[in-house]
């Protein structure tokens, strides 16, 4: 690894020909300073990122690509969305969308290594694909980036060039847990036993679930990501201290970043491991807790599209639903409010009008109640969704629509 000034890095990047594909750290680990240098040096390039946050380049010449749309890319003209389970995105990069540059955000060097810190995810696969093609691996070295273990650790010879930038890490905006989310959290928490293994997605409902689990003991974490809610469990003594907290990336407050820094109990692994349904299934009593935008009477969930337009993507939901169902004692839970307040519509619909994100869940939960899905026939599933998940104002219409779909509903 050779440390360059921003001017020197600009010269290096200016020598890159064609329209290179750049894979950059996503979520809240995007190396803003280095990405700015790259954006000025390259007139045209393809930018590939997961859950990109506001601030990514938005100009002619930059083609945005992603399998999971974040607010920084959502609604952008010309966005190329590649449907893919998160576990398969590394294969996408190695087989179909080979990158020319990997742009990562790392810790400062320690004993001949740097750490990818808060974001491992698909980056090891991207780095391997770049090096196989003779491309460039560029790091933004930041003393504020935590040093995390597992697959986060890179040797210095895996990085070609680096620029130094002392800047604070980004954090998500604080979320207030509403009364509806709190009720959903309590209902989901009732499905989580002591010593269960947790996987939670992103959002107010997963945050509310974690807040309702502080009285549990011996909980474990095997998840795509975790945030401050896991830190709350740690402080409450709810976690099994003999089992590593396993994830692929983290984001949260500065307190969370301090917690994961050089913490041997935190193990950040590449996506091919954390999201492998086979490895997920080996975790005992794994409870997968994810949100959805809509569910229908067939117990299918849409977590990716709004009115036909891509909103996010599959993410790890499909990976963890399958893995949880095969885990001994595992449960796959979809949790959502029964009514969408902004759109003023029911989140339970007769039949999804667009693509399905996941199906065959164990439970579907709203603030209205819990529908037990797995092991029940299709009519009983639909009846439970109407009676226990749907908002009361939507139930009569859903019953009528369900009968037209062939369900002999009461």
């Amino acid at each position: 690894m050779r440390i360059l000034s921003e001017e020197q890095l600009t010269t290096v990047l200016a020598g890159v020909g064609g329209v290179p594909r750049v894979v950059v750290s996503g979520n809240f680990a995007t190396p803003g300073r280095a990405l700015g240098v790259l954006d000025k040096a390259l007139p045209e390039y393809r930018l590939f990122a997961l859950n990109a946050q506001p601030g990514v380049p938005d100009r002619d010449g930059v083609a945005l690509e992603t399998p999971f749309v974040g607010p920084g890319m959502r609604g952008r003209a010309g966005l190329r969305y590649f449907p893919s389970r998160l576990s398969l995105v590394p294969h996408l990069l190695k087989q179909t969308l080979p990158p020319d540059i990997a742009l990562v955000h790392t810790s400062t060097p320690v004993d001949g290594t740097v750490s990818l810190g808060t974001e491992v995810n698909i980056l090891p696969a991207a780095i391997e694909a770049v090096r196989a093609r003779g491309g460039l691996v560029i790091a933004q070295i930041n003393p504020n980036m935590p040093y995390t273990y597992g697959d986060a650790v890179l040797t210095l010879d895996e990085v070609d060039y680096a620029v130094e930038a002392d800047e604070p890490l980004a954090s998500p905006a604080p979320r207030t847990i509403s009364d509806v989310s709190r009720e959903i959290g309590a209902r989901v928490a009732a499905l989580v036993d002591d010593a269960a293994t947790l996987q939670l997605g992103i959002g107010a409902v997963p945050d509310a679930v974690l807040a309702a689990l502080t009285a549990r003991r011996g909980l474990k974490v095997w998840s795509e990501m975790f945030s401050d809610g896991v830190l709350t469990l740690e402080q409450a003594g709810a976690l099994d201290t003999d089992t590593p907290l396993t994830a692929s990336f983290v984001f949260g407050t500065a307190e969370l970043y301090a917690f994961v820094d050089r913490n041997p109990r935190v193990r950040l692994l590449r996506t091919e491991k954390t999201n492998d349904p086979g490895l997920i299934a080996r975790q005992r009593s794994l409870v997968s807790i994810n949100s959805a935008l809509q569910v229908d009477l067939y117990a299918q969930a849409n977590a990716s599209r709004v009115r036909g337009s891509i909103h996010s993507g599959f993410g790890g939901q499909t990976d963890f639903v399958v893995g949880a169902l095969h885990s001994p004692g595992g449960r796959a839970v979809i949790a959502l409010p029964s009514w969408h307040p902004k759109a003023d519509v029911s989140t339970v619909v007769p039949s999804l009008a667009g693509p399905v994100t996941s199906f065959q869940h164990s439970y579907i939960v709203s603030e209205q109640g819990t529908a037990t899905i797995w092991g029940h026939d299709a009519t009983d599933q639909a009846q439970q969704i109407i009676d226990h998940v749907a908002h009361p104002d939507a139930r009569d219409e859903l019953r009528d629509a369900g009968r037209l779909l062939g369900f002999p509903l009461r």
Side-chain angles (χ1 to χ4, degrees):
M1 181 177 72
R2 180 184 169 196
I3 296 178
L4 305 178
S5 67
E6 292 184 15
E7 292 75 15
Q8 289 172 320
L9 179 59
T10 298
T11 301
V12 169
L13 290 169
V16 176
V19 183
R21 174 171 289 111
V22 180
V23 176
V24 67
S25 308
N27 291 292
F28 290 87
T30 301
R33 183 83 61 83
L35 182 56
V37 173
L38 180 141
D39 186 57
K40 291 178 181 178
L42 297 179
E44 291 185 274
Y45 62 98
R46 292 166 289 193
L47 185 65
F48 187 104
L50 293 181
N51 197 27
Q53 300 302 302
V56 297
D58 181 14
R59 63 170 176 82
D60 290 341
V62 180
L64 302 177
E65 301 178 335
T66 187
F68 192 88
V69 183
M73 292 186 178
R74 191 169 297 137
R76 296 282 191 88
L79 172 67
R80 300 184 72 201
Y81 166 64
F82 293 87
S84 176
R85 296 184 180 195
L86 190 55
S87 62
L88 296 176
V89 174
H91 299 287
L92 194 65
L93 293 175
K94 291 184 176 182
Q95 298 170 3
T96 308
L97 303 174
D100 303 287
I101 299 172
L103 191 63
V104 299
H105 200 169
T106 74
S107 70
T108 53
V110 176
D111 297 330
T113 66
V114 291
S115 173
L116 290 167
T118 59
E119 178 91 2
V120 175
N121 215 332
I122 62 167
L123 296 175
I127 290 169
E128 291 168 359
V130 166
R131 294 185 67 82
R133 287 167 58 84
L136 295 176
V137 178
I138 301 168
Q140 175 176 304
I141 294 175
N142 186 352
N144 298 298
M145 177 61 79
Y147 193 102
T148 57
Y149 300 112
D151 294 330
V153 179
L154 302 175
T155 60
L156 296 185
D157 60 7
E158 292 179 82
V159 179
D160 297 300
Y161 302 106
V163 290
E164 296 175 312
D166 186 343
E167 56 188 26
L169 295 183
S171 295
R175 284 188 292 259
T176 301
I177 298 178
S178 67
D179 290 341
V180 168
S181 294
R182 190 171 289 107
E183 179 63 26
I184 297 171
R187 292 185 182 280
V188 174
L191 302 173
V192 179
D193 300 324
D194 286 344
T197 304
L198 301 175
Q199 177 267 323
L200 292 104
I202 302 169
V205 169
D207 288 350
V209 173
L210 290 172
L213 289 173
T214 54
R216 298 292 189 278
R217 291 296 178 264
L219 297 176
K220 305 172 182 65
V221 173
W222 181 287
S223 187
E224 176 183 316
M225 60 80 63
F226 65 80
S227 190
D228 287 83
V230 167
L231 184 56
T232 299
L233 294 182
E234 168 75 6
Q235 294 166 342
L239 297 176
D240 177 0
T241 57
D242 293 328
T243 302
L245 303 173
T246 301
S248 190
F249 62 97
V250 302
F251 58 68
T253 63
E255 184 180 11
L256 178 73
Y257 299 151
F259 170 73
V260 302
D261 185 32
R262 298 175 184 266
N263 188 338
R265 285 186 52 223
V266 175
R267 182 176 59 170
L268 296 190
L269 303 181
R270 54 199 296 160
T271 296
E272 304 94 311
K273 298 177 184 176
T274 59
N275 286 54
D276 180 343
L279 293 180
I280 295 166
R282 295 182 191 177
Q283 315 308 311
R284 295 194 63 82
S285 301
L286 189 136
V287 183
S288 170
I289 304 164
N290 289 284
S291 298
L293 299 166
Q294 293 175 313
V295 295
D296 69 9
L297 299 185
Y298 297 103
Q300 302 175 126
N302 162 31
S304 59
R305 288 185 177 266
V306 176
R307 293 184 293 275
S309 297
I310 186 63
H311 180 77
S312 53
F314 295 155
Q317 183 163 309
T318 51
D319 294 324
F320 276 93
V321 166
V322 172
L325 289 172
H326 287 272
S327 161
R331 296 168 174 176
V333 180
I334 293 295
L336 77 170
S338 67
W339 198 263
H340 194 295
K342 290 184 179 179
D344 195 29
V345 295
S346 170
T347 60
V348 179
V349 297
S351 179
L352 295 180
V356 174
T357 306
S358 61
F359 60 94
Q360 202 171 61
H361 311 100
S362 305
Y363 300 93
I364 298 176
V365 181
S366 78
E367 80 283 2
Q368 303 295 328
T370 300
T372 303
I373 303 301
W374 173 247
H376 291 254
D377 67 51
T379 298
D380 193 29
Q381 290 178 5
Q383 189 75 59
Q384 288 204 45
I385 290 169
I386 293 171
D387 294 344
H388 301 304
V389 178
H391 192 279
D393 291 349
R395 289 175 185 168
D396 288 343
E397 186 176 340
L398 286 168
R399 287 190 190 96
D400 291 341
R403 292 185 185 110
L404 291 175
L405 291 172
F407 293 114
L409 299 170
R410 298 189 303 274

